[in-house]
Amino acid sequence: MTSTIAKLAPLVLAFAINGVWAHGDVKCTTRPKSEWKPHTELHEKLTKEGWVVRRMEATASCYEVYAKDPDGKRIEAFFDPVTFARVEEK
């Protein structure tokens, strides 16, 4: 069993590192979550703009949206949860 864990450890580490780097450096807001607008309002706003939202998640400082934009392109985008302004990765 120990040899199995030893063999899997590098693989697990590689996935963990890739997950950290996948989002780059995205920081939307430092305001408390009590000031965040509901994600349902962002969903409604994006839908009215022609987006097809597949999934939304709250990160530590952003709303992360998996969707198709109005041009039909599949994207992962980040939005400030207070202003709903789109935030680009740094």
Side-chain angles (χ1 to χ4, degrees):
M1 182 164 174
T2 303
S3 63
T4 303
I5 293 172
K7 289 177 185 175
L8 290 176
L11 183 61
V12 171
L13 182 59
F15 280 115
I17 289 171
N18 285 335
V20 170
W21 288 346
H23 294 121
D25 184 18
V26 179
K27 188 164 212 141
C28 297
T29 188
T30 56
R31 292 169 65 180
K33 288 197 175 191
S34 62
E35 295 181 19
W36 290 21
K37 295 178 186 175
H39 72 279
T40 52
E41 287 182 24
L42 177 59
H43 188 284
E44 184 178 316
K45 175 187 180 295
L46 294 174
T47 301
K48 286 180 181 176
E49 293 175 1
W51 292 54
V52 178
V53 178
R54 293 183 8 236
R55 190 174 88 215
M56 295 178 71
E57 297 177 6
T59 67
S61 66
C62 299
Y63 284 139
E64 183 176 8
V65 177
Y66 297 88
K68 287 187 180 180
D69 67 10
D71 296 325
K73 182 180 171 188
R74 289 180 70 174
I75 60 168
E76 173 184 8
F78 296 88
F79 293 87
D80 184 297
V82 176
T83 66
F84 292 157
R86 186 164 176 188
V87 178
E88 298 297 326
E89 295 183 54
K90 296 178 183 178

